[in-house]
Amino acid sequence: MGTVGKALDLLDLFSRAEPQLGLSQLARASGVNKATCHRLMSELESRGLVEQVGPAREYRLGSAVLRLAALREAAVPTRDAAMPVLRRLAETTGETAHLSQLVAGRLQTLAFAYSSRPGVKVMMEDADFLPFHATASGAAVLAQLADPEPLIAVAPDQNALRTRIANCRDNGWAETVSTFEKDVHGLAVPLFDAFGQCTGALAVAAAAPRMTPGLHAAITAELTCAGAEITGLWGGVIPDALARLWRAAPSKDPDR
Amino acid sequence: MGTVGKALDLLDLFSRAEPQLGLSQLARASGVNKATCHRLMSELESRGLVEQVGPAREYRLGSAVLRLAALREAAVPTRDAAMPVLRRLAETTGETAHLSQLVAGRLQTLAFAYSSRPGVKVMMEDADFLPFHATASGAAVLAQLADPEPLIAVAPDQNALRTRIANCRDNGWAETVSTFEKDVHGLAVPLFDAFGQCTGALAVAAAAPRMTPGLHAAITAELTCAGAEITGLWGGVIPDALARLWRAAPSKDPDR
């Protein structure tokens, strides 16, 4: 491993739970000896990626990361970053892929992509809001919220929604059949920010009459991969429990 | 210069004007030979700080910077980052220091700090909106906007405001005397984001009867230093023309 990689791994030791770290902590957590650790931190500090604070001179992330993030956002807006993954998801599943974001308490369509295969497709509309109670995306998000009750309480069929949320917590993905639109079979996974908080959902909307166990397994496998990828592209992290669930799921089957 | 510093300097070559750079461009701009440059970029890429895109395999900033920025924001919210500078500005000038941010087209008080010296002080209120036409902060911001006309057009005295804006463009700081509150002498500088766009203002509000040429010179010198520092802490950059103006200004006078 190169010196640069070592220095960048030190950056990764900072977290929301531990925003400030002393030199000894950094050395211990990284396995790098204290003198080398100090030299690497000094180089990171000289470029503003970390700074020292307080009487104990602990380190925390510096303001240079804000500038880099602003440039990244300008170069690759959120939506653009996800589009290649969304298009690939539509192609590999042969169905319609759909991406939504939580904005001010509502789930809003950010983008969608159609498969290029001929035949029946689920059509989407731009800038739609997705009802939490009737879509797989909605259930995927509700399953991740600390307090979904206010949103569950307004659902026409609370029992059905509660079951859907519980299933999503067990499976790692949510499912609806003909709830929002007739003959649409929806499957969705949640997306996350840097603090592991849910920020939206990624879904595949398939024509229900076409669904088979093989297609179902293929879609959930592709969805979880694509969900992890988009979360990563947005600088987010998947909560540990869900990441384990996704890894344990049957892998993609190229022979379906 | 260490290897880590060299790698981080490569990151700094990306800009809004040049969000994607090829290996040859990076080598040329950094003065690092192409083989070393490739090795450093590969290390940065392995940690997600850059990524390669397109048929030419050009580099651009990667999504890891988004995660780091989110952690920095959580650890050091905008307001907290600026507070030590604001307090120091109040102490060194002996007056009231004030920080405002452009939010949805209005200039909003973010924080203020009083000097601990005894005597008359300009008192502030939380969460105030500052009228653009009657405050030094307002003029400092208007002088930086691409199109300030709609905001100038609604001012009670447009000529006075235009003069104030023109003076700010010449001096690098804005000034008002008894416009918003009687006997308040305001001096302000603009603050900027990563794209050099104005995001707010930093001001010193002094008791007008106390103002002297010496205090005036001291305040503008402290203000420009503190303004540059807060802009840096927020990941922003000062536009070149203004940075030159600030550097050319008389420096701080410890003997006033």
Side-chain angles (χ1 to χ4, degrees):
Chain A
M1 181 170 66
T3 314
V4 177
K6 265 186 206 159
L8 299 178
D9 286 346
L10 291 173
L11 285 184
D12 280 341
L13 297 176
F14 296 94
S15 66
R16 198 168 200 185
E18 298 198 285
Q20 280 185 210
L21 294 167
L23 192 59
S24 306
Q25 287 172 287
L26 288 163
R28 207 177 314 122
S30 64
V32 173
N33 75 61
K34 223 165 146 177
T36 304
C37 196
H38 181 258
R39 186 173 57 75
L40 296 176
M41 292 307 287
S42 300
E43 288 207 65
L44 291 170
E45 191 182 14
S46 71
R47 302 311 192 274
L49 270 83
V50 299
E51 60 191 22
Q52 283 182 284
V53 281
R57 310 298 292 146
E58 287 192 326
Y59 292 93
R60 69 181 180 199
L61 292 172
S63 58
V65 302
L66 299 179
R67 201 182 54 75
L68 293 174
L71 290 173
R72 159 79 188 183
E73 269 299 315
V76 195
T78 302
R79 187 179 184 281
D80 296 3
M83 277 315 293
V85 184
L86 202 64
R87 284 197 204 99
R88 205 187 55 220
L89 181 62
E91 286 307 327
T92 54
T93 60
E95 304 290 346
T96 299
H98 179 272
L99 185 63
S100 57
Q101 260 189 321
L102 267 178
V103 178
R106 295 201 290 179
L107 198 55
Q108 192 177 296
T109 294
L110 182 68
F112 47 82
Y114 300 120
S115 152
S116 61
R117 294 189 213 169
V120 175
K121 277 184 202 76
V122 179
M123 302 304 284
M124 293 285 166
E125 287 203 43
D126 249 332
D128 251 356
F129 288 106
L130 303 183
F132 285 105
H133 66 85
T135 60
S137 296
V141 169
L142 289 180
Q144 299 299 329
L145 296 187
D147 180 21
E149 279 306 319
L151 291 163
I152 296 173
V154 295
D157 185 345
Q158 294 187 28
N159 286 340
L161 182 55
R162 281 183 206 284
T163 305
R164 207 174 296 142
I165 292 170
N167 287 341
C168 179
R169 288 191 179 132
D170 289 343
N171 297 327
W173 40 262
E175 180 164 31
T176 51
V177 183
S178 300
T179 48
F180 188 43
E181 307 224 34
K182 195 173 165 318
D183 287 338
V184 173
H185 193 131
L187 289 160
V189 292
L191 304 169
F192 299 89
D193 68 13
F195 311 122
Q197 294 198 308
C198 183
T199 56
L202 177 67
V204 168
R210 188 159 54 212
M211 188 59 71
T212 62
L215 179 59
H216 193 286
I219 291 177
T220 55
E222 296 286 351
L223 250 185
T224 51
C225 285
E229 195 173 346
I230 291 177
T231 287
L233 285 169
W234 289 356
V237 291
I238 312 279
D240 284 343
L242 186 63
R244 274 194 299 275
L245 212 52
W246 285 0
R247 275 197 300 273
S251 60
K252 296 182 205 178
D253 171 14
D255 302 327
R256 79 183 142 84
Chain B
M1 179 170 65
T3 313
V4 177
K6 264 186 208 160
L8 299 178
D9 287 345
L10 290 173
L11 285 184
D12 280 341
L13 296 176
F14 296 93
S15 66
R16 198 169 198 186
E18 298 198 285
Q20 280 185 211
L21 294 167
L23 192 59
S24 307
Q25 287 172 289
L26 288 162
R28 209 177 312 124
S30 64
V32 173
N33 75 61
K34 223 165 148 179
T36 305
C37 195
H38 181 257
R39 185 173 58 73
L40 297 174
M41 291 308 287
S42 300
E43 288 207 64
L44 292 170
E45 191 181 14
S46 72
R47 302 310 191 275
L49 270 85
V50 298
E51 61 191 21
Q52 285 182 284
V53 281
R57 308 299 292 149
E58 287 193 325
Y59 292 93
R60 68 181 181 200
L61 292 170
S63 57
V65 302
L66 299 179
R67 199 182 55 76
L68 293 173
L71 290 172
R72 159 79 188 185
E73 268 300 314
V76 195
T78 302
R79 187 179 184 281
D80 297 3
M83 277 314 292
V85 183
L86 202 64
R87 285 197 203 97
R88 206 187 55 220
L89 181 62
E91 286 307 327
T92 54
T93 60
E95 304 290 346
T96 300
H98 180 273
L99 185 62
S100 56
Q101 260 189 322
L102 267 179
V103 179
R106 295 201 289 178
L107 198 55
Q108 191 177 296
T109 293
L110 182 68
F112 48 82
Y114 300 120
S115 152
S116 60
R117 294 189 212 168
V120 175
K121 277 186 201 77
V122 179
M123 302 304 283
M124 292 286 165
E125 288 203 44
D126 250 333
D128 251 357
F129 288 105
L130 303 183
F132 285 105
H133 65 86
T135 61
S137 296
V141 170
L142 289 181
Q144 300 299 329
L145 296 187
D147 181 20
E149 278 307 320
L151 291 162
I152 297 173
V154 296
D157 185 343
Q158 293 186 28
N159 286 340
L161 182 54
R162 282 184 205 283
T163 305
R164 206 173 297 139
I165 291 170
N167 287 341
C168 180
R169 290 191 178 133
D170 288 344
N171 296 327
W173 39 263
E175 181 164 32
T176 51
V177 183
S178 299
T179 48
F180 188 43
E181 307 223 33
K182 198 176 164 316
D183 287 339
V184 172
H185 193 132
L187 290 160
V189 292
L191 304 169
F192 299 89
D193 68 13
F195 311 121
Q197 294 198 308
C198 183
T199 57
L202 177 67
V204 169
R210 189 159 56 211
M211 189 58 72
T212 62
L215 179 58
H216 193 285
I219 291 176
T220 55
E222 295 287 351
L223 250 185
T224 51
C225 284
E229 195 172 346
I230 291 178
T231 287
L233 285 169
W234 289 355
V237 291
I238 313 279
D240 285 343
L242 186 63
R244 276 194 298 273
L245 212 51
W246 286 0
R247 276 196 300 273
S251 59
K252 296 183 206 178
D253 171 17
D255 304 326
R256 78 186 142 81

